[in-house]
Amino acid sequence: EKRRTELGKFVEDLLNKVKDSFEVVLPKTLVDQEVSQRIENLKQRYGGVERFEQMMKSMKPEEVKKFYEDITNTAKESVKNFLVLM
């Protein structure tokens, strides 16, 4: 377990160094696709479209905006990591 943790930290550090050494241009279509997939996964985790929509309606507008911003930022980071590792 300790080696796995050390390896994970090593890979994460290496990835961060590589990402910081150049600029990665993220194709909007890839980011949009990743965001859509993440939202679909969330709908399933919340028990379906209706329950997800109920949850979204129960949130304040600024919370909904923050929710989608967080998903988008996470998707961008995921796409960026994918492109760097290619």
Side-chain angles (χ1 to χ4, degrees), residues 9-78:
K9 174 131 178 58
F10 174 78
V11 170
E12 184 178 337
D13 290 344
L14 182 62
L15 182 61
N16 287 331
K17 287 178 185 176
V18 170
K19 285 191 309 189
D20 293 341
S21 69
F22 58 90
E23 184 177 338
V24 177
V25 177
L26 302 176
K28 185 177 180 339
T29 54
L30 280 180
V31 173
D32 290 348
Q33 185 178 8
E34 182 69 17
V35 169
S36 294
Q37 186 59 50
R38 287 174 180 269
I39 290 174
E40 286 303 314
N41 290 342
L42 284 171
K43 287 176 183 177
Q44 291 176 5
R45 289 173 83 192
Y46 284 107
V49 174
E50 287 181 21
R51 292 184 79 188
F52 179 80
E53 288 175 356
Q54 286 174 351
M55 181 199 69
M56 297 306 286
K57 287 177 184 176
S58 71
M59 296 169 72
K60 297 176 183 174
E62 59 271 6
E63 292 173 326
V64 172
K65 182 180 178 184
K66 174 82 169 100
F67 180 82
Y68 280 102
E69 285 174 357
D70 289 346
I71 292 171
T72 301
N73 290 335
T74 303
K76 285 179 181 178
E77 190 64 26
S78 178

